[in-house]
Amino acid sequence: MTWRLRDKKTLHAGKRVTLEMHLLRNEETGLDHTREVVKTVDSVVVVPVMDDGRIVLIRNYRWAPGKELIELPAGAIDAREMPFNAAGRELLEETGFLAGKILPLGKFYMSPGILTEQMYAFVAYDLMQSVARPDLGEEIVPMPTPKDEVMRMIRSGEIADAKSIAALLLFDRYGTQSTEDAE
C-alpha cells in the first residue's frame, strides 16, 4: 500500500520527545488513517566486557515502570554527537569505566510502531576503572556478572529491558571475539 502524509499536528513538544498526530491517506483506496508518532533522539547501548569475561550490567531505577531494572549502560545521543562517542560517554557516566576498544554490534529500532528512535549497540573491551558520572537523578549500581549468568537472567526474566536483551543477544551471537581479535 502507498500512504501519503496529508496533515501533521504536534500535540506535545518536550525536551526529549515530541508527540505528533499524522493523518495519512491510502493512495489506492482513498481512505484516511491516523497514526500517533513519538519523535525522539537516537540512542546507544553498550555491552561492557571485562578482561575476565564478565559483563558489566547496571541496576537502575526507572521512573516509568516504577522499579529498579537490570540493564546495560545506555543513553541518548547528544546533538551533533557520533554514536561511537555517545557509547564511550554513557559507559563512563553509568559504570565509571573507560574503554580501550569499542566496536559496533548493530542497530535496531526500539519500537517502530510508534517511536522514531534508532538504537546503536556497541561492545566495549579493555575496560579501565575511572570515576562514574551519572546524570542528575540517576541511581546506578554496576554489577559485573559472568556471561552465563547474564544469559540465565535473560531466560528467567530478571533482565526485562528490551534494549539490553537485544544487545546482549547480538553480543552472544556475533560479538564473542577475544580482546586481541576484536579489531
Side-chain angles (χ1 to χ4, degrees):
M1 290 188 199
T2 305
W3 294 91
R4 180 177 54 86
L5 181 65
R6 291 191 57 220
D7 191 27
K8 175 171 52 173
K9 291 182 182 159
T10 299
L11 303 177
H12 171 77
K15 179 180 173 187
R16 295 203 40 196
V17 299
T18 299
L19 175 59
E20 296 178 345
M21 183 67 72
H22 292 194
L23 177 61
L24 307 173
R25 163 88 26 107
N26 182 315
E27 294 293 333
E28 296 170 10
T29 65
L31 297 175
D32 289 341
H33 181 68
T34 58
R35 289 275 185 192
E36 294 173 347
V37 176
V38 179
K39 296 181 82 172
T40 185
V41 297
D42 290 342
S43 56
V44 296
V45 59
V46 184
V47 180
V49 182
M50 300 181 79
D51 290 343
D52 63 6
R54 289 180 298 163
I55 296 171
V56 183
L57 299 171
I58 59 172
R59 285 190 182 280
N60 191 8
Y61 183 83
R62 291 297 191 171
W63 182 256
K67 61 182 170 181
E68 190 176 77
L69 297 178
I70 298 172
E71 314 176 15
L72 289 171
I77 299 171
D78 291 340
R80 295 180 296 282
E81 184 178 37
M82 297 299 295
F84 173 85
N85 294 336
R89 177 181 50 74
E90 287 293 339
L91 176 65
L92 178 61
E93 285 178 6
E94 296 188 357
T95 68
F97 284 108
L98 292 167
K101 197 175 287 186
I102 297 177
L103 302 169
L105 280 175
K107 58 186 176 179
F108 47 87
Y109 286 97
M110 292 300 296
S111 184
I114 194 166
L115 297 176
T116 61
E117 180 181 5
Q118 190 170 30
M119 181 161 268
Y120 297 81
F122 294 90
V123 59
Y125 294 104
D126 300 336
L127 303 181
M128 297 162 278
Q129 188 67 58
S130 185
V131 178
R133 298 179 179 112
D135 289 337
L136 184 63
E138 287 184 325
E139 297 175 11
I140 297 172
V141 178
M143 298 175 44
T145 308
K147 185 179 173 192
D148 60 341
E149 177 68 5
V150 170
M151 294 300 123
R152 185 202 62 75
M153 293 168 78
I154 291 172
R155 285 189 302 278
S156 72
E158 290 171 75
I159 297 175
D161 171 59
K163 71 180 177 301
S164 297
I165 293 169
L168 287 163
L169 293 178
L170 280 170
F171 172 70
D172 185 52
R173 178 67 175 94
Y174 301 111
T176 57
Q177 302 164 318
S178 71
T179 304
E180 293 77 31
D181 297 335
E183 294 300 332

